[in-house]
Amino acid sequence: MAVKLAVIWIHGLGDRGSSWRGLEDDAELPGVKAKWMFPDAPTVPVTCNGGARSTSWFDIEDIPVTQDAKDYPKDIEKSVTRIHAMVGDLEKEGYASNEIVIGGFSQGGAMALQAVLRYPKPLAGVCCCSGWLMMRDSVGTWANGANKDTPIFWGHGRSDNVVVFALQQIGVAALSEANFTKVTAKDYATMHSTTDQEHRDIGAFLAGTCKA
């Protein structure tokens, strides 16, 4: 019987889920029956776009995103609720919580961290690509201990000019302080994008989360 895995992939600001469908092929998972989901964010006014409407999981005040970025807790909670509902639907389909990974790029990577760390049952893993840890100063209070041992993959471009590279190190340190220590952090010679190597690394990470 094939090992099964469900992956919910969260896109970035102004994007659509469909633009990430190529990752399904790039992240080769031989012997794994994988179900991929690529949801779209709602279209809302975004501050960094001068109030213009765009697909967005939460508001962003400024680009580039730096360590001083403003957080929008109500927006975050609303999107977390939506993503958790997707996880709940997968569980109703027969997936155990530890057969479900949430990942994403940029704003989506930041959202994936929030969704996994707040889930009340252990999930299989989280992929944060070029994202950041929001509300990091209080992570110990809002994160759920159920995912303390959940593996985290965090990839980031060293020349990122949209979400600054330093946010990877800062985020990993904040997670460690809150005892979320199963983090694999990798950096790549790119700007605000993913690379073929990162896609292969994501595939290897996903394969490693599968339960035989």
Side-chain angles (χ1 to χ4, degrees):
M1 187 180 205
V3 176
K4 64 180 181 178
L5 182 72
V7 182
I8 302 171
W9 193 265
I10 311 299
H11 66 75
L13 176 67
D15 202 358
R16 294 283 181 186
S18 58
S19 70
W20 283 94
R21 289 196 178 276
L23 182 60
E24 186 173 353
D25 295 323
D26 294 344
E28 298 179 6
L29 295 170
V32 178
K33 185 178 180 181
K35 175 176 182 174
W36 290 75
M37 299 172 65
F38 299 93
D40 289 336
T43 299
V44 294
V46 180
T47 300
C48 68
N49 290 341
R53 295 174 66 83
S54 173
T55 52
S56 183
W57 299 100
F58 54 84
D59 201 6
I60 296 178
E61 187 175 42
D62 290 308
I63 298 290
V65 177
T66 70
Q67 66 185 62
D68 299 320
K70 179 179 178 179
D71 294 322
Y72 292 85
K74 289 183 180 179
D75 291 358
I76 294 168
E77 290 172 15
K78 189 173 181 179
S79 287
V80 164
T81 297
R82 183 180 170 197
I83 296 168
H84 283 183
M86 297 175 205
V87 176
D89 288 343
L90 287 168
E91 290 185 273
K92 290 174 186 176
E93 289 180 24
Y95 290 88
S97 64
N98 64 1
E99 294 174 327
I100 302 168
V101 172
I102 304 174
F105 173 76
S106 191
Q107 187 190 52
M111 202 65 249
L113 285 172
Q114 293 291 318
V116 170
L117 296 181
R118 293 172 184 264
Y119 202 66
K121 299 181 202 176
L123 293 164
V126 55
C127 293
C128 175
C129 298
S130 304
W132 67 101
L133 179 65
M134 299 180 288
M135 302 174 66
R136 65 179 180 274
D137 292 338
S138 58
V139 63
T141 62
W142 56 258
N144 194 305
N147 282 286
K148 279 278 173 71
D149 293 323
T150 297
I152 299 169
F153 173 87
W154 195 325
H156 213 116
R158 294 190 291 274
S159 301
D160 197 327
N161 60 348
V162 176
V163 178
V164 299
F165 177 48
L167 286 174
Q168 183 193 57
Q169 183 178 5
I170 291 168
V172 170
L175 288 171
S176 180
E177 288 177 12
N179 295 316
F180 291 87
T181 57
K182 293 195 172 181
V183 183
T184 299
K186 291 182 176 288
D187 56 84
Y188 303 90
T190 189
M191 298 178 73
H192 192 61
S193 62
T194 55
T195 68
D196 291 344
Q197 182 60 55
E198 186 169 5
H199 289 188
R200 289 191 290 271
D201 291 341
I202 291 168
F205 173 80
L206 292 176
T209 69
C210 291
K211 311 298 179 184

